[in-house]
Amino acid sequence: GTEGVLPAKRPRLADSVTAASAGGGEWAEVISQLQPAIVALKVTTVRSFEEDPASTSQGTGFVVDQVRGLILTNRHITGVGPVRATATFDRHEELEIEVLYR
């Protein structure tokens, strides 16, 4: 049976990029190298604060320092008040994150 067997991780999108689908071999290589640094962000503003209403927003960010775990995104994604946030990476790993600077 399949008891105790974990499902295989879904392949990265970049794994399916071909030179033809990316418009040339150089683009396929660039996409393959950069995709692990791009993250999907989900940010929930837990209560109204200044000009931001309580809400949930989604956007993207980029890992700029893998060692320190820093992700860069736009301020309109994080808002100005208290938030709960998660980052989803290209292989579908999801981590809770915190906003350090706005």
Side-chain angles (χ1 to χ4, degrees):
T2 58
E3 290 181 28
V5 176
L6 295 174
K9 285 188 177 180
R10 291 170 40 180
R12 292 174 42 216
L13 178 61
D15 293 340
S16 65
V17 173
T18 64
S21 70
E26 291 178 25
W27 277 112
E29 182 62 28
V30 169
I31 291 168
S32 180
Q33 289 179 8
L34 293 179
Q35 187 163 355
I38 301 169
V39 296
L41 302 172
K42 181 179 178 184
V43 180
T44 301
T45 304
V46 295
R47 62 181 173 85
S48 295
F49 188 88
E50 293 184 7
E51 71 270 10
D52 290 342
S55 64
T56 298
S57 61
Q58 295 182 355
T60 56
F62 305 90
V63 176
V64 294
D65 189 326
Q66 183 178 6
V67 173
R68 295 184 349 189
L70 297 177
I71 297 170
L72 179 66
T73 191
N74 291 311
R75 184 172 183 250
H76 71 270
I77 301 298
T78 62
V80 296
V83 299
R84 292 180 190 259
T86 58
T88 304
F89 293 82
D90 74 322
R91 291 198 184 239
H92 310 283
E93 296 96 348
E94 189 173 289
L95 295 173
E96 288 189 24
I97 58 173
E98 63 181 277
V99 176
L100 298 179
Y101 178 77
R102 299 176 224 230

